[in-house]
C-alpha cells in the first residue's frame, strides 16, 4: 500500500501504530519526517483518522457545523500521500503477540489477519467508565451513549436530530459539562449529575468550582451534585427515566455517559501497568517491552508537579507521539519530560483555566498548607511539601477602559522557595491565555518572584501595568518575604469562630459594601481609610484578622496595624475568594 | 498636611516624589506600606494624580467616556487618606539643590517655596519631541498638541468638540497610531505621517509592521510613510495646513505631535545621564546621587535581551517605583532586574504584540543572522551574537472550530543555545496574551525547546494541541537540531535571483494556491503530495530551496528531498511571512 505513495520500497523499519488520533497520528507523521525508509502502518478502528475528539460536544451543539466529518484534522489522503502512511481504517487490533512481534487484526467484514512489526505504538485511548447503575447490567440502551468516539458522536447527533428534548448527562467533567452546555444552547432540557459537590471538581478546587457550577446553571442546565445515579429505567431497549439516589425518577430522551474513562490497555498483556490500569512507559514512551511504545490517554506520564499521573489531554498526547517517533526512528526530541496538565473550559459566559496541581491533588500527594498564623498552619514554612495559597481578583484590564471583568485567580506555591505549583482561573476568554503564563512558569521552574517581575503585554484594553495574572505573584512574593502576613480568606472564613475567640476579626471595607455581604456578628468594621484615626477601637493585646473585598485594603490595614505594634493577619483575596464570586 | 491623615507625626524619613503618575504613585504608596513613619510628599504638576496616560487616545476617541477625569486611577482622597501622602497638585519643581538636599517648588499662583528631603524620587517622565518643522519655531500653535499630559488630552478633546474634522498625526508610534485609529473611529479625516516606511516600525520589524500599517489603513486612516513633515502653515495662531516634503500642503483642523519623546531630565543637573539624556540609575533605581532615585520614562534600565535601554512603558515604571520605595524604606524587592519591554497595540481589527528584542534592535546591537544555507549566513551558528528567525502562521485555534484566524508570529532566538531573544505577533485579541508566554520565557531564560515542551491551554475554541505560540518553538528547535534546514522565507525572497542561480527554487503548494500568488518565472512547482513520484523532475546535483504557504509542507518536502540525497532548504514561514499577510 505504501508503495503507491512513492515511498522507497526497501524498508528498513516497520512501524505499526494502533489508533490514529492525536498521539498515534503525530507518531506516524513524525516517523515519516525522520525516516523516508520506514514502513508505517496505522490501524484505526473508526472510519475517521486524526479525529478531533475534543470538538465532539461542539458538533453535538451545532456550534461546529458539518457533523462527524468536520472533525477530521488531517485527511486520509494527506496521511497516505504526504506522509506515506499505510492507513487501515475500520480495522481493530484484537491481539498483540510480543514473542513473535505480530498483531492480529480484525477487518470490518469479519476477517482477521496478522501483521509483523519491528516497533509498535499503542495509542488506544480510553472508553467511558460505566458506573454500577441498575438497568445497565446488560449494556447500554440505544439512547445512552458515551462521547469518546466518532460512533458515539454519530449516536448523539441522531438522538438530537430524532427530537430528543430531555437529556441527562452523567458526569460533570470536561466532556459532561461541555456537552451539557452545548445541548442547553440548542434549547434542550438538560440535567447533569455528578457525585462531587460541584462540576469540574476533579480539576478545580472547592473554592473555584462553584463559579463554574453557577456558570453552567446560568446556561439553563439543571445540576444534581454530590449525588449518584442509582438506576435507569429501560423500556423497549431505550432509557425512559433516570433515578438519582433519594430522588424521583427523571424522564429522559437521551443519556450521555461521561462519568470518567478507563484506559484501553487490554492489548498490553504482560506489560507493566499503572495502579489504574494505564500502561506504564519510560521517558521515551517505551513500555516494559522496548519494542512497544504507548502514548496518549492510555498511559501514565510524569506530571511536572505531582509526579506520575494520568493526564488525558490532546496536547500531551501529541507531544508523546512525537517523542515515541523520535525514539523509534532516531530523531530528537526523543524524551518526554512531563506535562503541566494545562486545560481550559468554557461554561456559558465564563471560562475556567487550570495548570499544574490543584490543592486537592497536592493534599492527596501528602502536601500540607502553611500559613502565617501558626495555630492554623499544618506545616512549617520550609517543609519540602508545604504549600500556600493566594487569591487575587484584579480586573482583566484597567477599570477605566470599558469591559473589564474580574480575573479570579488561585495560585498555589511553595512558601520558602516560591516555586509555583499550580493555578486556577475563572474569568472571561482571556483566562485561556493567562493560564499559559503560569504553565510556562511551571515548565521553566520559575518562582512567584519571577512572576512579580515579568512584564506582560499592557494596553488599557488588554491588561494593567500589574497584570491580573502577575498580581498573585506580587502577593505570594510578599508572603515569601513575610510582608504579606496572613492566610487565605477561605481559611479565615472556615475558622471564623476560632479566630473571633483568639482575637479581633476586622472588616476594613466601607459601610456600603458590608450591606451587600458580611461575615455577621462579632466582626469589627473600620474603613481602612479611617483606620489610623480609630486605632483605639482595636484591642492591642490580641491578634487582628483583617479582611476586605479582594485583599488589597486588608494588606494596607495589616501594614498599618503592624507598624502600630499589632499582630495582624490579612485574609488573602478577601470576600471575593469565598467561592470565587464577585459580589 | 500628612498629620490630617493620622500618620504618626514623628517622622524618621522624609521622601519627596516628583511626578505622581505610574512610577511616582507606585513609589509613594509602597514607601507607606513599608513605613508608617515616613513623611511622603508628592508633587504633581497636573491636577490629576495617578493618571492613566495610556488611556488618553481612547478618551479622545470616546471609547472611554467621561473626559480627562476618567483616567484617574487612584484618587487624591485615597492617596491622602489610605496612604498618608502629602499630595501637592498643580505644583512644579523648578530646581533641585542636592548639596543642601532641598527642592524649589512653584505653586499655581506663582509663589515659590523650598522643601528639604532625605530621599528624592524623580518620576518626571517625558515631553513630546518637536521635530525641526518650519512654522513651529516659536512654539506650538493652539491647535497643535502632544498627547502626554492631562492638559494635552484636554486640548485634543476641545479641538474635537469644537468640530475639528481634518486631523494630522505626526509620528506612527504607539501614541500616534492609537490616536489616529481612535479619531478615525469618530469619523474624522485622519492622516498619519512617519519617517519610517511603516507605522510601529520602531517596535515591529519591516516584515511585521506592514500588517499593522495595512490594518490602520483599513480603519480609514491615510498614511504617508517614509516621509518627513517639512512645514506647518500657521495663521491666526492656528495651524491651517501641513506640508510633507515633496508633497502638496494638506489642510488641517488639528495636529497631534507624536514624533517621539524626550526625557524631562533637566532637574538632574550634575547627575549621570544616558546617551539620549535619560537619567542613569543602578539596580536600586538610585541615580549617581545615592539620595536621589529616578523611575519611569525618564531613566534608562536594563533590557533583558539588549542591555541598557530606554523602555517608556507603564508596567516597568510601576515596578521601578516599587523597587525605589523598597530601597528607600528598607523592604524587598529593592532591586530592578530589567524589563522584557512587552507591549501590545490594537490597530482596528488587528492586534500587534511584541516582547524582547526586535531583529532591527539586535542588528543595531551587533547581532548577526545565522541561517542553515551558509552562503547567506552572516555568522557562525555558535557565535555568541548569532540570531535566527522563524515565522509561523498557525490558527488562533483549531480550524474545525469557527472563528480561527492566523496568528502570525516571528520568533528570534540564538541558534545553538536556543535562548529566546524576542517575538512579534500580529493576530486577533489573543495576540496580547500569547506574547505573554514569550515574555515569561524570556524572564525565565527559557529556550525554544522549553517552548516546544510547554502545554498551553487547549480547547477547540481556544487553541490547538500544538498552540500557535508554541509552534515557533517546534520549528526553532528543529533548526537548533538541524532537522529544520533552511532560512526565513523573507531571506529566500530577498535573495531569490541568487538562489535561482545557485540551485532549484521549488514551490510545493497546489496549483490553485499558485494562482493567488507566486514568485514568478524560474520557480519549479511540484505539489508536496506528488513529490515522491516526481523526484526525477528535480535536479539532483544542486541545492533545492523549497517553500510553501506557511512552512510546514516545505519542511516535509525538505525531509523527503534530503532522504533522497538532495541538499534541501526550506523557507521558514512560507509565503505568509512576506509582510505577514494571509493571502
Amino acid at each position: 500500500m505504501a508503495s503507491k505513495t512513492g515511498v522507497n520500497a526497501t524498508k528498513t523499519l516497520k512501524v505499526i501504530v494502533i489508533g490514529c488520533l492525536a498521539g498515534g497520528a503525530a507518531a506516524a507523521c513524525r516517523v515519516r519526517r525522520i525516516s523516508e525508509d520506514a514502513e508505517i502502518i496505522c490501524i484505526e478502528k473508526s472510519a475517521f483518522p486524526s479525529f478531533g475528539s475534543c470538538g465532539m460536544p461542539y458538533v453535538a451543539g451545532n456550534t461546529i457545523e458539518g457533523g462527524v466529518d468536520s472533525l477530521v484534522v488531517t485527511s486520509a489522503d494527506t496521511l497516505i500521500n504526504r506522509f506515506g502512511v499505510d492507513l487501515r481504517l475500520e480495522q481493530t487490533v484484537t491481539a498483540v503477540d510480543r514473542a513473535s512481534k505480530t498483531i492480529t487484526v480484525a477487518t470490518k467484514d469479519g476477517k482477521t489477519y496478522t501483521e509483523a512489526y519491528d516497533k509498535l505504538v499503542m495509542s488506544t485511548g480510553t472508553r467511558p467508565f460505566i458506573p454500577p447503575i441498575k438497568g445497565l447490567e446488560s449494556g447500554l440502551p440505544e439512547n445512552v451513549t458515551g462521547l469518546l468516539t466518532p460512533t458515539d458522536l454519530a449516536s448523539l447527533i441522531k438522538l438530537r436530530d430524532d427530537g430528543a428534548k430531555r437529556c441527562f448527562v452523567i458526569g460533570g467533567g470536561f466532556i459532561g459539562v461541555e456537552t451539557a452546555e452545548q445541548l442547553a444552547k440548542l434549547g434542550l432540557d438538560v440535567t447533569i449529575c455528578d457525585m462531587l459537590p460541584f462540576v469540574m471538581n476533579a480539576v478545580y478546587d472547592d473554592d473555584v468550582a462553584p463559579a463554574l457550577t453557577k456558570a453552567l446553571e446560568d446556561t439553563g442546565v439543571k445540576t444534581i451534585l454530590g449525588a449518584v445515579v442509582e438506576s435507569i429505567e429501560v423500556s423497549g431497549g431505550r432509557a425512559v427515566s433516570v433515578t438519582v439516589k433519594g430522588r424521583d425518577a427523571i424522564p429522559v430522551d437521551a443519556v450521555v455517559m461521561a462519568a470518567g474513562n478507563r484506559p484501553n490497555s487490554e492489548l498490553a498483556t504482560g506489560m507493566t501497568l499503572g495502579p489504574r490500569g494505564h500502561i506504564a512507559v519510560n521517558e521515551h514512551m517505551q513500555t516494559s517491552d522496548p519494542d512497544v511504545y504507548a502514548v496518549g490517554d492510555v498511559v501514565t506520564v510524569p506530571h511536572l508537579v505531582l509526579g506520575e499521573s494520568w493526564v488525558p489531554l490532546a496536547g500531551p498526547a501529541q507531544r508523546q507521539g512525537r517523542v515515541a517517533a523520535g525514539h523509534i526512528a532516531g530523531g530528537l526530541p526523543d524524551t518526554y519530560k512531563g506535562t503541566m496538565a494545562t486545560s481550559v473550559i468554557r461554561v456559558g459566559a465564563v471560562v475556567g483555566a487550570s495548570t499544574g496541581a490543584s490543592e486537592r491533588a497536592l493534599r492527596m500527594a501528602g502536601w500540607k498548607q502553611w500559613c502565617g498564623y501558626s495555630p492554623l498552619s499544618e506545616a512549617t514554612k520550609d517543609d519540602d511539601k508545604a504549600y500556600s495559597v493566594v487569591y487575587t481578583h484584579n480586573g482583566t484590564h484597567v477599570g477605566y477602559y470599558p469591559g473589564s471583568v474580574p480575573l479570579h485567580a488561585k495560585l498555589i506555591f511553595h512558601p520558602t522557595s516560591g516555586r509555583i505549583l499550580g493555578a486556577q482561573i475563572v474569568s472571561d476568554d482571556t483566562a485561556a491565555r493567562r493560564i499559559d503564563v503560569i504553565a510556562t512558569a511551571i515548565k521553566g521552574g520559575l518562582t512567584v518572584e519571577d512572576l512579580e517581575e515579568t512584564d506582560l503585554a499592557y494596553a488599557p484594553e488588554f491588561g494593567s501595568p500589574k497584570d491580573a495574572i502577575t498580581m498573585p505573584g506580587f502577593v505570594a512574593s510578599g508572603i515569601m518575604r513575610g510582608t504579606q502576613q496572613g492566610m487565605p480568606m477561605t481559611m479565615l472564613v472556615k475558622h471564623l469562630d476560632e479566630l473571633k475567640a483568639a482575637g479581633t476579626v476586622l472588616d476594613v471595607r466601607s459601610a456600603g459594601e458590608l450591606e451587600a455581604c458580611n461575615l455577621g456578628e462579632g466582626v469589627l468594621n473600620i474603613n481602612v481609610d479611617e483606620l489610623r484615626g480609630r486605632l483605639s477601637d482595636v484591642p492591642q493585646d490580641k491578634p487582628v484578622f483583617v479582611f476586605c473585598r479582594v485583599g488589597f485594603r486588608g494588606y494596607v490595614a495589616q501594614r498599618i496595624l503592624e507598624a502600630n505594634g499589632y499582630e495582624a493577619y490579612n485574609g488573602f483575596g478577601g470576600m471575593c475568594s469565598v467561592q470565587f464570586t464577585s459580589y
Side-chain angles (χ1 to χ4, degrees), chain A residues 241-308:
Chain A
S241 72
V242 175
T243 304
V244 174
K245 194 171 178 184
R247 291 175 176 245
D248 292 339
I250 297 169
V252 296
D253 302 315
V255 176
V256 176
M257 195 60 71
N261 307 317
R262 292 294 176 269
N264 291 326
S265 53
E266 289 72 14
L267 293 175
T269 42
M271 287 155 57
T272 307
L273 300 184
R276 295 178 66 178
H278 299 86
I279 304 174
V281 291
N282 68 10
E283 70 271 28
H284 306 302
M285 308 310 296
Q286 269 172 313
T287 67
S288 52
D289 178 335
D291 291 324
V292 181
Y293 295 73
V295 302
D297 296 5
V298 76
V299 302
T300 59
V301 288
H303 182 295
L304 288 189
V305 177
L306 293 169
E308 205 64 15

Side-chain angles (χ1 to χ4, degrees), chain A residues 102-119:
Chain A
T102 56
I103 60 169
T104 307
V105 186
T107 64
K108 201 182 171 185
D109 54 9
K111 291 178 187 157
T112 63
Y113 66 93
T114 60
E115 189 79 52
Y117 64 82
D118 295 318
K119 303 287 177 185

Side-chain angles (χ1 to χ4, degrees), chain A residues 454-513:
Chain A
T454 302
D455 295 321
L456 301 184
Y458 163 58
E461 181 185 347
F462 295 107
S464 303
K466 296 183 204 166
D467 191 82
I469 197 59
T470 54
M471 277 308 296
F474 283 86
V475 181
S477 298
I479 291 171
M480 272 182 74
R481 298 175 194 125
T483 49
Q484 294 261 10
Q485 182 71 273
M487 68 207 76
M489 185 66 188
T490 42
M491 185 186 272
L492 188 153
V493 171
K494 189 175 167 195
H495 297 274
L496 186 60
D497 290 338
E498 190 177 339
L499 298 179
K500 278 183 193 165
T504 306
V505 178
L506 174 62
D507 186 337
V508 296
R509 297 175 301 158
S510 65
E513 291 174 276

Side-chain angles (χ1 to χ4, degrees), chain A residues 86-108:
Chain A
D86 179 350
L87 180 65
R88 304 181 185 178
L89 299 175
E90 300 184 85
Q91 299 192 6
T92 307
V93 177
T94 56
V96 175
D97 181 346
R98 294 189 288 116
S100 67
K101 295 181 75 171
T102 56
I103 60 169
T104 307
V105 186
T107 64
K108 201 182 171 185

Side-chain angles (χ1 to χ4, degrees), chain A residues 8 25 54 56 64 79-80 115 131 133 142 148 152 159 161 184 188 197 205 220 276 442 468 479 530 551 554:
Chain A
N8 188 329
C54 314
M56 288 192 289
I64 299 170
L79 288 169
I80 294 167
E115 189 79 52
I133 294 172
E142 64 174 79
L148 280 179
D152 293 341
L159 289 167
D161 293 347
L188 274 59
D205 288 320
R276 295 178 66 178
I442 290 175
I479 291 171
E530 298 163 6

